[in-house]
């Protein structure tokens, strides 16, 4: 049994802790941190790419699905992590990036997209057709029937691709599918709201019912044997500086209503920045798949900033990598990935480019100037002896691990451990008797 379906079996047996974090990222340092942490505990790792990151035209990463697979596998091979422990996921697969095109053109591209993900070996497929395309009416919500009809088309395309794979490899595992979508769009809210609308149980019922109808129409009678999850909004979200925390009392109507479905779990998006206890409560309440994205690169940036601040005190001016300044220059030179999302005065915009929870700077980490600055920063800091007292000041959690001999005083390891510290929260939420790795400076 594959790892995703095993979660369902465990929960059927009353194991409410059974869940899995979904690490949605295309950053090499973040992926390496996720794999290293999983290697310590012989865990499976679910790593996802969204349709705007990775698609047949390259997305903003320049990668097609097979490229992303090879990218992740290359990182795994470099650190000795077994490929068979990696679950590749495709997130928001549908007409997301072609919303300005008519349905036929947008859906034709979406069909090609999902096929490429399946053929590349992705085993968790989120089918998302909740967004309008160019010829949809703009004066009313997109109907459940339209969403389900398009979703069924994509499901059938995925299954056709899977049958192609079976010809070459009769033992090929079947993908597990997720349906539904959260509001707002992937990556966090653009602006703070007064409250978040929790998914109504009736809306879940309607989604499942219309999908069943559309599957029946296409002769896909066993489709729900392969659909293991549905995306819901349990009341968690974040914006530039705001976090909406999980409240299990407020979500109780939804989570209680979902208890009657033992072959499907809820998937929560935008779980970034929730506390370990809140994440654990979500899993206990049936939100067994916890998707996290911007918080991963936010943690990475925290580590890089801390290292850069120490560099300014330990490395001569003419040799410094100036990572913080170069990041600002790169973002200003190409504002398309943050300009529509950040609002305010010039001073406020400058702060958001660095510190927003939405973390739009993640779109720039693969830029050559940024990669060069990170490489130089690592080299510079490996050539100096970082005083433990300074490490305690700027990287207190990593200081404790270095002090106690659990972490080398190596620049790359120190930065990646900032990501590991976040991963610990998700391990605590999805594993029985797992203790968080929080360190205390005593």
């Amino acid at each position: 049994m594959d790892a995703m379906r095993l979660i369902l079996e465990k929960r059927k047996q009353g194991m409410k802790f059974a869940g899995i974090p979904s690490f949605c990222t295309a950053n090499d340092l973040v992926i390496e941190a996720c794999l290293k942490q999983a290697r310590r505990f012989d865990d499976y790792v679910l790593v996802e790419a969204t349709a705007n990151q990775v698609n047949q035209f390259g997305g903003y990463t320049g990668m097609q699905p097979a490229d992303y697979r090879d990218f992740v596998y290359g990182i795994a091979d470099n650190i000795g992590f077994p490929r068979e422990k990696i679950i590749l996921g495709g997130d928001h697969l549908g007409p997301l990036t072609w919303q300005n095109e008519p349905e036929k053109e947008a859906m034709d591209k979406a069909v090609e997209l999902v096929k490429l993900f399946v053929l590349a070996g992705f085993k968790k497929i989120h089918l998302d057709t909740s967004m309008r395309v160019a010829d949809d009416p703009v004066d009313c919500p997109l109907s459940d029937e339209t969403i389900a009809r398009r979703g069924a088309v994509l499901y059938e395309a995925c299954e056709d691709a899977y049958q192609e794979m079976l010809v070459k490899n009769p033992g090929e595992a079947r993908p597990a599918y997720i349906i539904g979508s959260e509001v707002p769009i992937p990556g966090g809210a653009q602006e703070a709201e007064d409250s978040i609308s929790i998914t109504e149980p009736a809306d879940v019922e309607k989604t499942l019912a219309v999908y069943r109808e559309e599957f029946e129409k296409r002769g896909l009678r066993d489709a729900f044997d392969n659909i293991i999850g549905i995306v819901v909004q349990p009341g968690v979200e974040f914006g530039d500086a705001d976090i909406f925390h999980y409240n299990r009392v407020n979500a109780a109507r939804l989570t209680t209503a979902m208890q009657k479905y033992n072959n499907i779990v809820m998937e929560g998006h935008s779980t970034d920045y929730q506390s370990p206890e809140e994440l654990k409560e979500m899993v206990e309440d049936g939100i067994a798949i916890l998707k996290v994205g911007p918080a991963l690169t936010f943690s990475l940036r925290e580590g890089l900033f801390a290292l850069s601040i120490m560099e300014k005190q330990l490395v001569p001016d003419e040799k410094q990598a100036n990572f913080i300044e170069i990041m600002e220059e790169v973002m200003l030179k190409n504002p398309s990935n943050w300009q529509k999302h950040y609002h305010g005065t010039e001073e406020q915009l400058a702060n958001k480019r660095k510190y927003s929870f939405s973390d739009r700077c993640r779109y720039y980490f693969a830029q050559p100037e940024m990669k060069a600055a990170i490489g130089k920063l690592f080299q510079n800091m490996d050539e100096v002896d970082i005083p433990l007292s300074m490490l305690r000041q700027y990287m207190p959690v990593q200081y404790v691990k270095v002090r106690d001999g659990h972490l080398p005083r190596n620049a790359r390891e120190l930065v990646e451990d900032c990501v590991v510290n976040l991963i610990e929260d998700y391990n605590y939420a999805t594993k029985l008797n797992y203790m968080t790795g929080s360190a205390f400076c005593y």
Side-chain angles (χ1 to χ4, degrees):
M1 180 178 293
D2 65 85
M4 297 306 300
R5 290 175 174 85
L6 185 59
I7 293 171
L8 289 177
E9 289 304 312
K10 287 182 176 179
R11 297 190 71 88
K12 285 180 185 179
Q13 295 170 26
M15 302 180 190
K16 287 189 173 183
F17 62 86
I20 192 168
S22 166
F23 302 119
C24 188
T25 182
N27 183 281
D28 57 341
L29 294 170
V30 169
I31 293 171
E32 185 170 283
C34 293
L35 298 181
K36 284 180 178 178
Q37 175 68 353
R39 186 176 59 187
R40 290 176 55 203
F41 301 99
D42 193 27
D43 278 350
Y44 284 92
V45 178
L46 171 57
V47 182
E48 296 212 38
T50 61
N52 55 7
Q53 285 175 321
V54 174
N55 58 51
Q56 62 265 47
F57 303 107
Y60 71 75
T61 65
M63 288 186 280
Q64 295 186 13
D67 299 324
Y68 181 83
R69 174 201 63 203
D70 295 343
F71 171 67
V72 174
Y73 283 170
I75 296 170
D77 293 345
N78 285 339
I79 65 169
F81 188 85
R83 292 183 177 189
E84 61 271 18
K85 289 286 188 177
I86 299 172
I87 308 164
L88 293 173
D91 199 39
H92 293 288
L93 301 187
L96 174 66
T97 55
W98 305 291
Q99 295 178 64
N100 294 327
E101 299 183 27
E103 178 178 2
K104 184 180 187 313
E105 286 80 357
M107 283 299 293
D108 284 348
K109 290 175 180 175
V111 164
E112 181 186 358
L113 173 73
V114 297
K115 282 187 172 182
L116 287 175
F117 268 87
V118 172
L119 291 171
F122 287 66
K123 296 304 179 188
K124 176 182 174 289
I125 303 293
H126 173 210
L127 302 175
D128 185 5
T129 52
S130 63
M131 61 290 298
R132 288 189 181 90
V133 293
D135 47 5
D136 284 326
V138 297
D139 55 351
C140 61
L142 202 59
S143 71
D144 292 310
E145 288 74 15
T146 298
I147 293 170
R149 173 176 57 79
R150 293 172 182 169
V153 169
L154 297 185
Y155 174 85
E156 188 170 23
C158 290
E159 285 293 287
D160 288 345
Y162 172 63
Q163 294 302 319
E164 287 183 40
M165 298 182 76
L166 286 179
V167 174
K168 297 179 181 178
N169 178 19
E172 187 73 38
R174 181 180 242 112
Y177 299 93
I178 309 293
I179 59 174
S181 182
E182 94 290 12
V183 177
I185 61 173
Q190 292 187 25
E191 297 179 0
E193 301 176 29
D194 293 331
S195 63
I196 297 295
S197 296
I198 296 171
T199 301
E200 288 291 335
D203 292 335
V204 176
E205 295 274 3
K206 181 74 181 298
T207 295
L208 296 175
V210 294
Y211 260 98
R212 285 194 180 91
E213 291 174 11
E214 292 299 330
F215 287 144
E216 283 285 339
K217 289 178 184 177
R218 303 186 74 85
L220 304 168
R221 294 178 179 81
D222 62 348
F224 268 92
D225 293 342
N226 303 314
I227 292 172
I228 67 160
I230 182 168
V231 176
V232 298
Q233 172 50 274
V236 301
E237 192 50 77
F238 59 91
D240 284 337
D242 303 280
I243 302 168
F244 290 91
H245 292 276
Y246 182 65
N247 184 317
R248 71 188 327 172
V249 174
N250 292 345
R253 288 184 64 250
L254 170 65
T255 57
T256 301
M258 290 298 294
Q259 290 175 7
K260 63 183 174 184
Y261 300 106
N262 63 3
N263 283 319
I264 195 167
V265 297
M266 290 175 282
E267 175 168 309
H269 288 203
S270 300
T271 70
D272 311 64
Y273 312 110
Q274 299 292 309
S275 74
E277 285 298 335
E278 289 162 346
L279 294 171
K280 188 174 184 180
E281 288 179 355
M282 290 174 70
V283 175
E284 290 172 349
D285 294 345
I287 307 159
I289 304 173
L290 303 175
K291 186 165 171 285
V292 54
L296 294 165
T297 40
F298 187 95
S299 298
L300 178 71
R301 180 207 54 75
E302 283 183 313
L304 290 167
F305 273 29
L307 211 63
S308 190
I309 291 169
M310 289 188 285
E311 180 196 42
K312 294 185 185 304
Q313 302 177 60
L314 298 173
V315 176
D317 291 353
E318 66 274 10
K319 285 188 62 180
Q320 290 176 12
N322 296 315
F323 170 78
I324 297 173
E325 292 80 4
I326 286 176
M327 189 183 90
E328 175 74 350
E329 290 174 10
V330 171
M331 293 183 74
L332 287 174
K333 187 167 65 176
N334 180 16
S336 60
N337 287 313
W338 60 266
Q339 207 165 41
K340 295 179 182 177
H341 301 265
Y342 295 159
H343 308 284
T345 65
E346 288 303 315
E347 182 180 358
Q348 289 170 332
L349 290 174
N351 283 329
K352 289 179 181 182
R353 285 192 292 271
K354 293 182 178 71
Y355 305 115
S356 169
F357 283 139
S358 298
D359 192 54
R360 304 300 296 183
C361 65
R362 72 186 185 275
Y363 289 87
Y364 299 87
F365 275 94
Q367 294 294 317
E369 303 98 314
M370 290 274 278
K371 292 183 76 69
I374 292 170
K376 187 174 182 180
L377 177 62
F378 286 168
Q379 181 180 344
N380 284 347
M381 296 306 287
D382 284 338
E383 291 176 352
V384 299
D385 184 19
I386 304 174
L388 271 177
S389 54
M390 185 181 290
L391 193 63
R392 174 170 170 148
Q393 174 70 41
Y394 294 108
M395 303 181 87
V397 174
Q398 288 66 45
Y399 153 77
V400 173
K401 295 179 182 180
V402 170
R403 180 200 65 189
D404 295 346
H406 301 307
L407 182 68
R409 214 179 313 182
N410 168 276
R412 187 185 186 102
E413 295 281 352
L414 289 170
V415 168
E416 287 185 357
D417 193 71
C418 294
V419 182
V420 167
N421 203 51
L422 173 69
I423 296 169
E424 289 274 276
D425 295 347
Y426 287 84
N427 285 334
Y428 175 72
T430 56
K431 293 171 178 55
L432 183 64
N433 294 330
Y434 190 93
M435 299 299 291
T436 57
S438 298
F440 297 94
C441 301
Y442 51 83

